[in-house]
Amino acid sequence: MTQGVEFNRLMLQMRTMQMEAMGKPQPAAPVEKNVNAPAFDDMLKQAVDRVNELQKTTSNLQTGYERGDQGIDLTEVMIASQKSSVAFQAITQVRNKMVSAYEDIMKMPI
C-alpha cells in the first residue's frame, strides 16, 4: 500500500515539475510525509547487506560443490551465482547514479 502512495506522490511531483518547466503556474500540493517509511540510508544498507548475503551463499555453494558435498548440484550453484551477479550489478548501478547525482549537485552554482 505504501508503494502506491509513494508512486502517486512521485507522479504528482513529476507533473508539477513538468508544469513549471512549461511556464504554467501550478498550485503547490501538500507533500505527504510517511513517518513509518524507512529512511533512504536504511534501505541502501539493507540492499548492500542482501547483496553480501547472496555472494556469501554463492561462495558457500561453490565451495561445497567443488568438495563434492551431497545435495548440491551444478544448477543450484549456477542459479545462485547469477542471482548474486545480477544483484551486484544492480547495486553498482545505484551507486553510479548516486555519485552522478552528487557530482551534479556539487556543480550547481550557489
Side-chain angles (χ1 to χ4, degrees):
M1 182 67 184
T2 60
Q3 289 179 339
V5 172
E6 293 295 319
F7 177 74
N8 290 336
R9 186 176 58 84
L10 179 63
M11 289 301 295
L12 182 61
Q13 288 176 345
M14 288 173 53
R15 286 188 187 114
T16 302
M17 285 194 255
Q18 180 183 20
M19 295 303 269
E20 288 174 1
M22 295 171 63
K24 298 177 184 175
Q26 177 75 11
V31 177
E32 293 180 25
K33 282 197 169 186
N34 190 352
V35 178
N36 297 330
F40 179 76
D41 59 338
D42 292 335
M43 291 175 55
L44 185 62
K45 184 179 181 332
Q46 289 174 358
V48 170
D49 289 343
R50 178 68 177 143
V51 170
N52 186 36
E53 178 184 319
L54 286 171
Q55 289 180 336
K56 284 181 181 178
T57 302
T58 299
S59 178
N60 292 339
L61 285 172
Q62 288 173 343
T63 304
Y65 181 77
E66 291 168 356
R67 279 188 274 159
D69 291 349
Q70 295 295 324
I72 300 176
D73 59 347
L74 183 60
T75 56
E76 186 179 355
V77 174
M78 295 306 295
I79 289 171
S81 176
Q82 288 300 311
K83 282 182 180 180
S84 67
S85 176
V86 168
F88 183 75
Q89 289 174 2
I91 201 74
T92 301
Q93 290 299 320
V94 169
R95 183 214 51 193
N96 292 344
K97 289 291 184 181
M98 288 177 57
V99 168
S100 175
Y102 175 77
E103 289 173 348
D104 289 345
I105 290 170
M106 293 307 292
K107 290 178 185 175
M108 288 182 180
I110 295 178

